[in-house]
Amino acid sequence: DSFFYVTWAMFGFASYYGDHMVLQKEPAGAVVWGYGEPGAAVTVVLSGAGGLVVMKKTARVKGPSGTWTTVLDPMDQGGPYALTAGQGSENVTLRDVYFGDVWLCSGQSNMAMTVLQVGSASNMAMTVLQVGSALDDLERIDLPWSIPTAENLGHGNFTYFSAVCWLLGRYLYEALRYPLGLVEAAWGGTPIEAWSSPRALRACGPTVPSQLSGPQTPSVLWNAMIHPLLNMTLRGVAWYQGEANAFLHTDQYNCTFPALIADWRRAFHAGSVGQTELLLPFGFVQLSTYRQQSPADSFARLRWHQTADLGVVPNARMPGTFMAVAMDLGDERSPYGSIHPRDKQNVAHRLQLGARAVAYGEKNVIFQGPYPTRAVLEVTRGLLNVTYSQELVWRRRDTRAFEVCCSSPPSPCGWLPAPVVAVESRRVTLALAGCGGLVLALRYAWAEWPCDYQSCVLYNSWGLPAPPFLLDALAAGETPGRSQPAGGREMAICVEEA
């Protein structure tokens, strides 16, 4: 309670509103809130050039929280404006306020890597792209809303501002040509459980007991860094996390990740009084790489679970999502460790393609690489023909990229390489020497470090890599579901005998 007594005496806006901020433009209304004397009336005025009043709102300060909230009328893109809140004789004014799209960027250290760590920040300033880093709403903000400068974008290693977030915003601005507001809430080395509300965690059943503490504690970052932001009206979310879960609760991620997305959407929609859309666009980066020649497959499993085991997004379990594949952007010589690759430009470029297609509905944007739609086994010739959704570019001849499982149950899968014999326009032919006619499963790029830099086996003609996949064979008597999209376990290997 002592916190509220302090805030009553300090009338004003909530901590993450400030000069240079971007508020969400139409068709949504931006939510604005702050603190005041319980029961008092607060007047909020938006004014333009020359002090011309554009809008006036009144709100009552609620007790016992001592907070007031108002929703501005939907505003067209642009600015600058001044936003003033008044209570009695007290006034607080925020200046250089713009309306545009607000994106929240969250995750662990690969989201926290700064522009300084991935390239020169000196020539990256953009007049109307504003950035804000709300790392701990009520206790501390590392970087308030700021006009982008070299210092703000690259203050230090992992110390504001996120390169992925900044570059995503810059690419989107180049496409949209109106203000973008970027909010970063990221913490290195944190598992998804720390970012999940108790409600989201319950949706996946009890987690395995572990010795998590500090920022890794379940729900702690949700409480400290996401929950305080729920009143904001958002346009979308960008997420780069998963490395921690390649070592912790890996096989729960196909539940915990879709649950987090669904829960954040409900929470931001409710917290913004319905202004943040219920199907809030949610983009994410599929895991990059860590160790070359590692026999472990936890990174591969985590990549698969990031798609809810369906291989591509959006899908039925993850509607309104988009993904940037990053397994071909490994950086063994990164001075920050190989788990922190420096090429965030390609990551952000691939993310913004998904944002433009999924969040902004651009019809002709290709935002993902080729994915299998059919796999047919030619038993007599010992070949497996895999048909893809797009024209293929065969960039590298790697004998281990495709693997087949030939074991009979209940034995564990003995994976054998299936070398590429030929690549046609949309079809890959694989040789099955050593497997005979029994193929139980097929997988692609299933490794911690599946390919060299930008040198995976398959891409499309736009330079986007084919994502990894795992397909099961069709059991005797089964037929593929015709109503379901190709992807993951919804597609199966069919058998053709001569």
Side-chain angles (χ1 to χ4, degrees):
D1 291 339
S2 60
F3 164 75
F4 294 126
Y5 293 129
V6 173
T7 57
W8 294 350
M10 300 192 51
F11 168 75
F13 293 92
S15 61
Y16 49 80
Y17 293 89
D19 297 344
H20 317 300
M21 71 179 171
V22 175
L23 294 173
Q24 182 58 44
K25 73 173 188 67
E26 53 78 32
V31 177
V32 179
W33 69 282
Y35 301 99
E37 185 72 36
V42 174
T43 302
V44 178
V45 176
L46 183 73
S47 51
L52 179 68
V53 173
V54 176
M55 186 189 314
K56 182 179 285 188
K57 296 283 181 178
T58 57
R60 186 73 60 180
V61 181
K62 295 176 291 190
S65 66
T67 61
W68 54 268
T69 303
T70 189
V71 181
L72 302 182
D73 298 335
M75 289 287 296
D76 287 339
Q77 64 208 41
Y81 295 93
L83 187 66
T84 300
Q87 173 189 276
S89 61
E90 294 183 274
N91 284 292
V92 178
T93 298
L94 307 179
R95 304 191 183 281
D96 196 36
V97 175
Y98 287 80
F99 288 85
D101 282 346
V102 182
W103 282 78
L104 171 63
C105 300
S106 187
Q108 56 181 113
S109 54
N110 270 302
M111 182 60 84
M113 282 183 76
T114 67
V115 173
L116 175 77
Q117 294 173 272
V118 303
S120 169
S122 60
N123 61 354
M124 288 183 144
M126 182 193 307
T127 312
V128 293
L129 177 64
Q130 321 269 350
V131 297
S133 183
L135 292 185
D136 198 301
D137 168 48
L138 299 178
E139 295 180 11
R140 192 183 85 239
I141 294 177
D142 277 9
L143 176 67
W145 285 100
S146 306
I147 294 171
T149 63
E151 169 69 7
N152 290 336
L153 291 171
H155 185 72
N157 291 346
F158 304 101
T159 308
Y160 62 81
F161 188 79
S162 164
V164 169
C165 193
W166 158 254
L167 291 165
L168 170 64
R170 191 180 73 168
Y171 286 132
L172 286 177
Y173 174 75
E174 289 169 356
L176 301 169
R177 309 308 294 185
Y178 58 71
L180 271 292
L182 306 173
V183 178
E184 177 195 344
W187 197 304
T190 50
I192 195 170
E193 289 82 359
W195 297 98
S196 304
S197 72
R199 177 174 63 179
L201 293 174
R202 283 194 298 271
C204 296
T207 56
V208 179
S210 56
Q211 302 303 312
L212 295 178
S213 61
Q216 297 188 331
T217 306
S219 300
V220 68
L221 299 180
W222 159 264
N223 292 334
M225 296 172 71
I226 301 302
H227 191 271
L229 302 177
L230 293 182
N231 292 355
M232 294 183 78
T233 309
L234 295 182
R235 185 64 181 85
V237 174
W239 174 260
Y240 195 159
Q241 189 279 333
E243 297 88 347
N245 287 97
F247 307 100
L248 176 78
H249 306 161
T250 304
D251 292 319
Q252 292 181 13
Y253 207 89
N254 60 3
C255 180
T256 51
F257 189 35
L260 175 139
I261 295 170
D263 186 67
W264 280 27
R265 284 170 165 166
R266 285 195 300 267
F268 276 103
H269 181 71
S272 65
V273 206
Q275 297 305 306
T276 296
E277 62 179 293
L278 196 49
L279 198 65
L280 176 65
F282 197 107
F284 63 95
V285 182
Q286 195 178 44
L287 277 198
S288 187
T289 53
Y290 180 29
R291 300 165 298 192
Q292 293 229 37
Q293 310 303 324
S294 170
D297 75 340
S298 62
F299 264 63
R301 298 201 321 273
L302 200 286
R303 290 186 195 110
W304 185 240
H305 296 332
Q306 285 180 293
T307 68
D309 298 357
L310 296 172
V312 287
V313 298
N315 60 45
R317 288 193 61 200
M318 299 173 67
T321 62
F322 52 96
M323 173 176 78
V325 175
M327 65 179 180
D328 66 331
L329 302 178
D331 183 2
E332 197 170 29
R333 294 183 178 85
S334 170
Y336 316 106
S338 60
I339 206 165
H340 299 125
R342 287 166 290 181
D343 183 356
K344 296 298 192 272
Q345 286 87 352
N346 270 300
V347 168
H349 173 70
R350 293 170 185 180
L351 265 184
Q352 65 92 25
L353 292 175
R356 287 165 57 193
V358 174
Y360 293 98
E362 287 192 42
K363 298 299 183 193
N364 298 318
V365 174
I366 304 299
F367 68 100
Q368 52 194 355
Y371 201 78
T373 57
R374 190 163 189 246
V376 178
L377 178 63
E378 290 186 62
V379 176
T380 52
R381 298 178 63 200
L383 299 175
L384 183 61
N385 294 310
V386 184
T387 303
Y388 275 81
S389 58
Q390 299 171 349
E391 296 285 318
L392 297 169
V393 174
W394 189 7
R395 200 173 277 190
R396 185 179 180 89
R397 298 173 188 271
D398 182 344
T399 57
R400 295 203 68 90
F402 288 92
E403 297 171 294
V404 288
C405 169
C406 313
S407 309
S408 297
S411 305
C413 244
W415 291 97
L416 296 175
V420 176
V421 174
V423 177
E424 299 166 52
S425 120
R426 295 195 176 198
R427 190 169 80 166
V428 176
T429 301
L430 307 174
L432 300 177
C435 207
L438 182 68
V439 176
L440 299 179
L442 169 68
R443 67 188 189 184
Y444 170 72
W446 203 265
E448 194 166 300
W449 198 299
C451 43
D452 292 334
Y453 181 75
Q454 292 197 337
S455 296
C456 281
V457 173
L458 296 176
Y459 288 76
N460 64 15
S461 49
W462 291 270
L464 296 174
F469 67 77
L470 173 66
L471 304 179
D472 288 335
L474 204 61
E478 281 189 279
T479 55
R482 294 183 179 276
S483 62
Q484 297 168 316
R489 297 179 185 277
E490 295 166 347
M491 198 198 94
I493 300 163
C494 302
V495 179
E496 282 187 357
E497 305 224 22

